[in-house]
Amino acid sequence: MQITDTKAVVTGGASGLGAATVRALLDAGAKVAIFDRNADGMSFAAKLGATFAQVDVTDEDSVIRGLDTAVNAMGGLNVVINCAGIATTEKTLGRDGPHAQASFNRTIDINLNGTFNVARLAAGRMTDGGVIINTASIAAFDGQKGQAAYAASKAGIAGLSLPMARDLARNGIRVMAIAPGIFRTPMLEGLGQEVMDGLAKDVTYPQRLGDPAEFAALARFIVECDYLNGTTIRLDGALRMP
């Protein structure tokens, strides 16, 4: 698929990896609609020349309204890049007792169910085929202490790739996932430089945090490379978390 023919929805597109992906696609000549729960994303979208819809990815009606807005504005839809998600930390059994079921459910609901909700509804709008790219994480394979909920949600996303690709092959829709390592996003920057430097030491090479622009570049490559389908690509500088 040519980027100039791309009509893309990017969830979580007002910040972090999503925002970098929006910029990269627009710079390459694509049409982009940003889905974000935060209404502040409207000004970000307007500044870049993107369409904006305030969307809760876990809510079917909200996603449908967002897709209606996106399709009307762009004249169609052929790419979805799911970046919306949350990062949580809570041990299975901590000092205050067992992991709260409510927080586990919320993580699964936003990260996994929300991703699938957008993907399934968007697939029905891709009348001429397309590409769905979901965001997993290396936590899907190397989950750390306190990441039971997060790692489970991201492992689910990695597990979606092949069966969804098989389901949607008859519709000409490819499905891929990216599993990023440790990226320099606003959320991580809030931890401070010392913490970020410590995290970067575990990366094999290059020994630094990932740049969101590198995630965006991979997403663009997946869109353009028609033979990529049904798998998850690690983007982590060969990091294997201990």
Side-chain angles (χ1 to χ4, degrees):
M1 181 187 299
Q2 297 295 317
I3 288 294
T4 51
D5 297 327
T6 295
K7 300 168 184 176
V9 161
V10 180
T11 72
S15 63
L17 301 179
T21 302
V22 169
R23 288 192 183 96
L25 292 175
L26 288 171
D27 288 346
K31 294 179 180 178
V32 181
I34 294 171
F35 284 9
D36 205 279
R37 190 169 53 178
N38 191 341
D40 292 343
M42 186 178 297
S43 59
F44 174 74
K47 183 168 61 177
L48 295 180
T51 300
F52 178 80
Q54 187 175 6
V55 172
D56 177 352
V57 297
T58 68
D59 183 85
E60 181 173 2
D61 290 339
S62 179
V63 173
I64 289 172
R65 288 193 298 270
L67 289 170
D68 287 341
T69 298
V71 170
N72 289 337
M74 298 188 296
L77 176 67
N78 54 16
V79 172
V80 169
I81 302 174
N82 280 305
C83 294
I86 60 172
T88 57
T89 302
E90 187 174 351
K91 290 186 178 179
T92 305
L93 183 62
R95 293 176 181 175
D96 299 325
H99 194 303
Q101 189 63 46
S103 60
F104 187 93
N105 292 349
R106 180 171 180 266
T107 303
I108 297 295
D109 200 30
I110 294 173
N111 291 358
L112 179 56
N113 294 343
T115 292
F116 185 71
N117 191 35
V118 174
R120 70 182 181 91
L121 293 171
R125 308 294 186 100
M126 295 181 176
T127 55
D128 296 316
V131 187
I132 296 171
I133 302 172
N134 300 321
T135 302
S137 167
I138 61 167
F141 316 105
D142 306 334
Q144 300 297 290
K145 289 186 294 184
Q147 286 190 327
Y150 182 72
S153 70
K154 295 301 186 177
I157 290 172
L160 281 175
S161 299
L162 183 57
M164 280 187 68
R166 287 172 167 167
D167 285 347
L168 297 173
R170 61 182 294 179
N171 305 96
I173 299 172
R174 296 184 287 118
V175 182
M176 288 288 294
I178 300 173
I182 305 172
F183 273 67
R184 192 180 188 108
T185 60
M187 181 174 62
L188 197 62
E189 287 176 341
L191 299 177
Q193 190 62 48
E194 184 177 349
V195 172
M196 290 192 293
D197 289 344
L199 291 170
K201 289 179 181 178
D202 289 329
V203 180
T204 303
Y205 183 81
Q207 200 169 70
R208 59 169 173 79
L209 302 182
D211 186 331
E214 293 169 315
F215 177 95
L218 178 54
R220 174 179 172 174
F221 178 71
I222 290 171
V223 170
E224 293 180 304
C225 184
D226 289 339
Y227 208 57
L228 276 172
N229 193 18
T231 194
T232 300
I233 300 175
R234 290 183 69 132
L235 184 64
D236 61 6
L239 172 63
R240 297 297 182 271
M241 298 293 280

